[in-house]
Amino acid sequence: MLAGVATGLWHAGAQARVVTGGADRIDLTASVLPASAGAFEAPLLVPRLVWEGADVDGDGQADFVNPTGEAPRDHDAYGSGQFGASRDGGGREHAGVDYRAHGGQDVRAPMSGYVSKIGYVYEDSRNLRFVEITNPALHYVTRVMYVDAAVVEGQAVHAGQNIGAAHSLQDRYPGITDHVHLEVSRLGGHKMDAARLITARLEVPADSAA
């Protein structure tokens, strides 16, 4: 949904580029000129979509990171990627948030901690794996699914660090929007909506000519 908002902001005929920001934010920016722009016309200022992680311990630093830098998966033939979306004909609810990705892209640690487990997402498949990260100080556990892990169990990681590459899901779910599935929970508690900890806002760049 957010991606749709951002896409609608690009000037017709403009070329957009993706710029990766720091560990706690992803900026989508476009620097464009109207088709009829003359040599002395200023470029069009385009708002950018910025991802921000929540600061849950109050130290002034983001504690959570968007693992792919992309918006959550919209509704497709397999349902919605939002937390709590219906699954199995209403028999259960989606336990995480699906962040869009493409096969092979880097996946970032959604928070700092240590790799507490690497396992298989499905019992009948040895192709799709997950990486679980635990942070005892924050009292949170995250699990990122559909990742070819580049880390090992017991390894310390920091938020935003590359932890592996995204799997393509086309063999198991033909036509689905490729993504990684992020689950967040309190230690010993219930799963919660990652979208409440990783939010997006539109930021208008400053006019350097002003």
Side-chain angles (χ1 to χ4, degrees), residues 63-186:
D63 294 308
F64 291 90
V65 172
N66 183 321
T68 68
E70 300 289 342
R73 176 171 68 91
D74 290 327
H75 194 281
D76 58 24
Y78 295 90
S80 168
Q82 306 291 334
F83 181 80
S86 177
R87 290 290 188 271
D88 300 335
R92 64 182 180 91
E93 293 184 345
H94 193 222
V97 176
D98 294 341
Y99 290 93
R100 294 188 303 174
H102 60 267
Q105 83 166 75
D106 289 346
V107 177
R108 305 184 303 166
M111 73 173 183
S112 298
Y114 71 94
V115 179
S116 47
K117 188 174 183 179
I118 295 176
Y120 299 106
V121 177
Y122 304 110
E123 293 183 359
D124 63 349
S125 173
R126 291 296 180 263
N127 296 322
L128 302 175
R129 299 188 178 190
F130 67 81
V131 175
E132 180 183 275
I133 298 171
T134 299
N135 188 316
L138 294 179
H139 303 288
Y140 279 93
V141 179
T142 61
R143 183 172 286 194
V144 187
M145 299 184 182
Y146 312 134
V147 179
D148 184 12
V151 292
V152 297
E153 290 185 2
Q155 180 178 340
V157 296
H158 59 81
Q161 176 181 334
N162 178 34
I163 58 171
H167 289 297
S168 171
L169 301 177
Q170 298 309 308
D171 287 342
R172 189 174 185 95
Y173 302 112
I176 198 171
T177 304
D178 278 331
H179 61 274
V180 300
H181 172 95
L182 174 61
E183 294 182 358
V184 180
S185 60
R186 297 283 291 179

